[in-house]
Amino acid sequence: MGTYTLAIADGVLFACLPDEADIGTAIAEAAATNYGAGLALSIVRGTELTDAARPEDDVVWRETSDSELLDADGRRYRYAVRRAA
């Protein structure tokens, strides 16, 4: 599995797409639908999706009851992490 880009604002996960996907379009659609213009998003590239975070991982996102981390094939994961190479 490749790495993913996350778009996060105000504790809300707006997009989780493969790094090579068109994140700009996904962000524009999600922001316009949910919040309108002027939303400040944090874009995090190069995350790995996993069900088990390691102690040395930098956890970028943790699944909650109202957000799901889904890969390009629709598989669900609990964490998006940055791992040392």
Side-chain angles (χ1 to χ4, degrees), residues 4-67:
Y4 282 74
T5 298
L6 306 182
I8 303 166
D10 297 329
V12 176
L13 178 65
F14 279 87
C16 174
L17 296 171
D19 280 346
E20 65 275 4
D22 181 7
I23 192 81
T25 299
I27 290 167
E29 290 173 1
T33 301
N34 296 306
Y35 283 89
L39 185 65
L41 288 168
S42 173
I43 307 299
V44 183
R45 295 188 183 279
T47 65
E48 294 183 32
L49 304 183
T50 182
D51 284 323
R54 301 174 189 162
E56 66 274 11
D57 286 344
D58 174 18
V59 177
V60 175
W61 187 261
R62 178 175 289 121
E63 181 184 56
T64 65
S65 61
D66 58 350
S67 71

